[in-house]
Amino acid sequence: MAHCSEVVAKYAQEMRTLGLKILELLCEGLGLDQNYCCGELSDSPLLLAHHYPPCPEPTLTLGAPKHRDPNLATILLQENDINALQVFKDGEWIVVEPIPYAFVVNISLMLQVYVSPSC
């Protein structure tokens, strides 16, 4: 039986591989060299794992404050029937309907700044 640290290490490696592939595809889609964001920007990925079980009384919770993810991209695994993720678009917050057990990829602040033509 695998130890927890081995499972977490394997998960982190697989998420890194997925994240780098997503960055390559994003760069290609933006008309950039697919390795544009590879190297120093993606050498030290941050892996955070949170699990928020369904809340029986969501009106009594605070949730996370409004924020922008400060990294290149965020990969979020959605769970069935938990629609807590929202995005800010055109001056309003829009609920992202979950696709059970699918990954949502958020373009984060650093990637927006890094590939912006004005930089």
Side-chain angles (χ1 to χ4, degrees):
M1 177 178 231
H3 295 296
C4 181
S5 61
E6 294 170 356
V7 172
V8 170
K10 179 67 173 165
Y11 179 80
Q13 180 56 46
E14 293 298 326
M15 288 304 294
R16 177 173 169 68
T17 300
L18 175 63
L20 290 174
K21 185 63 177 174
I22 288 170
L23 285 176
E24 288 175 4
L25 293 170
L26 286 171
C27 287
E28 183 180 338
L30 291 168
L32 303 169
D33 181 275
Q34 70 180 19
N35 294 317
Y36 187 79
C37 287
C38 294
E40 289 182 20
L41 275 179
S42 59
D43 276 349
S44 300
L46 177 64
L47 175 65
L48 296 175
H50 299 289
H51 180 261
Y52 302 105
C55 179
E57 296 186 55
T59 58
L60 300 178
T61 63
L62 296 176
K66 299 173 186 176
H67 67 278
R68 290 184 178 187
D69 293 345
N71 48 348
L72 288 171
T74 298
I75 303 170
L76 174 67
L77 176 63
Q78 291 188 298
E79 291 191 43
N80 196 19
D81 298 328
I82 299 176
N83 53 347
L85 178 64
Q86 297 180 345
V87 294
F88 192 69
K89 182 176 188 285
D90 299 329
E92 64 180 296
W93 288 96
I94 301 168
V95 172
V96 176
E97 294 297 328
I99 300 171
Y101 311 107
F103 286 114
V104 173
V105 178
N106 291 334
I107 306 303
S108 300
L109 184 59
M110 188 186 303
L111 184 60
Q112 291 176 10
V113 170
Y114 192 64
V115 299
S116 173
S118 62
C119 289

